[in-house]
Amino acid sequence: MQQSLKSKQVVLGVSGGIAAYKAVELLRLLVKEGAEVTVVMTENAKQFVTPLTFEALSGRPVYHEIFGNEASGSMEHIRAAEKADLMIVAPATANSIGKMTHGLADDPLSTLFSAFAGPVLVAPAMNDQMWANPAVQENIRILKKRGIGVIEPEAGELACGAVGLGRLAEPERLLTEIRKNLLRQTDFSGKRILVTAGPTREPLDPVRFITNRSSGKMGYAIARQARSRGAEVTLISGPTHLEPPFGVTLLNCQRTGEMAEQVLHHLPQCDVLIMTAAVGDFAPETVSKEKIKKSGEQSLVLNLHPTQDILQAVADKKTHQLIVGFAAESENVVQSATEKLRRKQLDMIVANDISAPGIGFQSDNNQVTLIDRHQKAESLPLLSKMEIADILLDRILAQLNDR
Ligand code: CTP
């Protein structure tokens, strides 16, 4: 049998819920696939499954006491676990999720999580009322925003007898998510990705400018995920308040003209261009050197000229590059985006409906439709921008491999 996870180092964190028995099955599947698994448990988890069960199946010491002895995992062993390829917490109780969100470290699981720098998956399991609790949902949102993968619980009969959303995902599904995550860790290595993000800013005078409401979150999420999947990433960004993602080359710009220059300069060295930037379509014809004064009640008339369309310029210059555009639409979303895909000669366009509340600009979530060059549309559900970034990168990779 093919062992797809051969020699992969995985940390399995188990917290105290009835679903801890499914972690035993997950461990069995991981070991069968060739993974080397270190199990870490909370005190409460031991009420459901003994450390010995996990130790026997993993063939390794189980870390279950912070101030323990050899039996709870040696320091050397714990240090090695911190460098594993992936950590999965299954089941993750509301309490463990709260600790992970707020940086608490008072048990073996939360301690190891705090020291773990690699990718983490969290599989919540709890009663449906707890899952619906606004504090838990807020914590989940924060974890997702930090790039932690959340494997949503399933609906069904719960341990408390109620029927609702909160059951731990089945071990096979957890395994699929682990495989996908491990595969994604290197699938972009050797690829050079150019991403634009944020708004542009066109000055009127030394203190005023024309801009738009783009936060840059989508572009930064793509840059971050592409980098974490092994790509060499250059991010050309208009003004935002965001932290630059680790390991990404950041180039700042303000005006459309500057962004166009930087994009065209870096285009020949990249394999993929993703234009998430909300590029301003108009700029003042003249920029006043001095602050414009008001003169009584007289209106001020601004003459605006259209800016350069960066993607149109890219269409004339591109050679082997795969080009992805974004389309913010408020009506006939798919139809208008498809029209832009054709006009700008794109390989893919990501359409989003900016009239829908709670998504799009500024938000951490979005609901988009991906349209490829054969005009095949794929509507995604409401997802975090990090999740959208990963799905978009999956589709881009499929197109690159298809060439
Ligand atoms: N774009 C660009 N240069 C511009 C304007 C937009 O390269 N001057 C890019 C955006 O980065 C985006 C795509 O084109 O990837 C679509 O942007 P959008 O603002 O939706 O479309 P426009 O072409 O500006 O058309 P309109 O505003 O009329 O809908």
Side-chain angles (χ1 to χ4, degrees):
M1 188 191 80
Q2 204 193 354
Q3 291 193 306
S4 60
L5 303 182
K6 192 154 175 43
S7 306
K8 291 288 179 196
Q9 302 291 322
V10 176
V11 172
L12 170 59
V14 185
S15 58
I18 186 81
Y21 76 92
K22 287 191 189 171
V24 177
E25 176 61 7
L26 174 62
L27 172 59
R28 207 184 57 75
L29 294 173
L30 284 167
V31 169
K32 207 165 124 198
E33 295 267 334
E36 292 169 14
V37 188
T38 301
V39 177
V40 51
M41 304 174 76
T42 62
E43 196 57 39
N44 286 344
K46 290 193 275 181
Q47 303 284 336
F48 297 92
V49 183
T50 66
L52 195 61
T53 308
F54 289 116
E55 201 169 306
L57 281 172
S58 68
R60 292 179 161 206
V62 170
Y63 179 32
H64 61 87
E65 279 171 26
I66 302 189
F67 305 109
N69 47 28
E70 269 300 301
S72 65
S74 67
M75 275 322 274
E76 198 187 325
H77 179 68
I78 294 159
R79 288 282 99 84
E82 286 168 16
K83 296 192 183 69
D85 300 299
L86 177 114
M87 177 172 186
I88 177 162
V89 184
T93 57
N95 187 41
S96 292
I97 290 168
K99 289 186 194 177
M100 286 188 267
T101 311
H102 299 285
L104 302 184
D106 64 351
D107 62 56
L109 173 52
S110 53
T111 309
L112 187 54
F113 171 79
S114 311
F116 190 74
V120 180
L121 293 175
V122 168
M126 64 196 77
N127 154 294
D128 55 339
Q129 305 271 27
M130 279 170 99
W131 177 245
N133 183 298
V136 173
Q137 286 303 311
E138 182 63 20
N139 288 342
I140 291 288
R141 261 193 298 280
I142 294 172
L143 290 178
K144 282 184 178 177
K145 208 170 122 187
R146 291 180 190 153
I148 288 173
V150 175
I151 306 171
E152 301 284 331
E154 295 174 355
E157 201 174 316
L158 304 168
C160 58
V163 175
L165 198 60
R167 275 167 66 102
L168 179 69
E170 289 304 317
E172 283 290 350
R173 195 176 137 219
L174 299 177
L175 185 70
T176 304
E177 292 299 324
I178 291 170
R179 265 203 218 105
K180 200 157 71 179
N181 192 291
L182 287 169
L183 185 71
R184 277 176 172 172
Q185 285 178 22
T186 51
D187 58 356
F188 269 84
S189 52
K191 303 270 185 298
R192 291 160 305 174
I193 316 273
L194 187 59
V195 184
T196 66
T200 53
R201 190 184 265 187
E202 303 293 344
L204 272 172
D205 69 15
V207 295
R208 301 184 179 95
F209 49 77
I210 299 176
T211 188
N212 59 63
R213 294 174 56 195
S214 167
S215 64
K217 285 178 182 171
M218 191 67 239
Y220 277 60
I222 292 171
R224 183 186 186 283
Q225 296 311 90
R227 170 74 183 97
S228 76
R229 294 170 68 160
E232 199 183 299
V233 182
T234 303
L235 173 63
I236 299 174
S237 175
T240 73
H241 297 290
L242 303 173
E243 279 286 313
F246 176 77
V248 165
T249 305
L250 176 71
L251 303 171
N252 290 299
C253 63
Q254 303 242 340
R255 295 175 8 258
T256 302
E258 279 175 74
M259 186 176 276
E261 233 170 70
Q262 290 179 345
V263 168
L264 296 173
H265 178 76
H266 286 90
L267 183 71
Q269 295 90 42
C270 77
D271 302 303
V272 180
L273 165 66
I274 308 173
M275 281 287 297
T276 72
V279 184
D281 291 328
F282 297 96
E285 269 178 7
T286 54
V287 181
S288 168
K289 277 207 178 65
E290 309 299 335
K291 185 179 168 208
I292 301 169
K293 296 271 184 206
K294 61 172 178 280
S295 50
E297 292 297 299
Q298 222 178 336
S299 307
L300 175 70
V301 178
L302 290 176
N303 283 321
L304 303 175
H305 68 88
T307 55
Q308 178 179 11
D309 190 311
I310 304 175
L311 281 178
Q312 291 288 3
V314 165
D316 296 336
K317 293 234 155 53
K318 66 178 179 184
T319 50
H320 66 290
Q321 295 85 356
L322 191 136
I323 314 290
V324 181
F326 270 66
E329 307 290 349
S330 53
E331 50 184 351
N332 301 327
V333 178
V334 171
Q335 194 191 331
S336 310
T338 308
E339 172 52 32
K340 269 178 205 168
L341 169 102
R342 269 203 302 266
R343 180 158 40 91
K344 302 193 186 211
Q345 299 173 45
L346 305 174
D347 297 291
M348 198 187 305
I349 196 157
V350 182
N352 75 299
D353 182 351
I354 52 168
S355 67
I359 61 171
F361 286 166
Q362 310 288 337
S363 167
D364 290 326
N365 299 321
N366 207 352
Q367 188 162 18
V368 300
T369 302
L370 311 181
I371 304 163
D372 70 13
R373 62 171 177 274
H374 308 297
Q375 291 162 39
K376 200 173 115 233
E378 177 187 6
S379 285
L380 301 183
L382 179 66
L383 295 169
S384 73
K385 287 183 176 174
M386 293 289 185
E387 291 169 307
I388 293 176
D390 267 326
I391 296 173
L392 175 62
L393 290 167
D394 287 347
R395 303 299 178 264
I396 288 173
L397 198 64
Q399 282 210 23
L400 286 173
N401 292 339
D402 245 19
R403 289 176 153 197

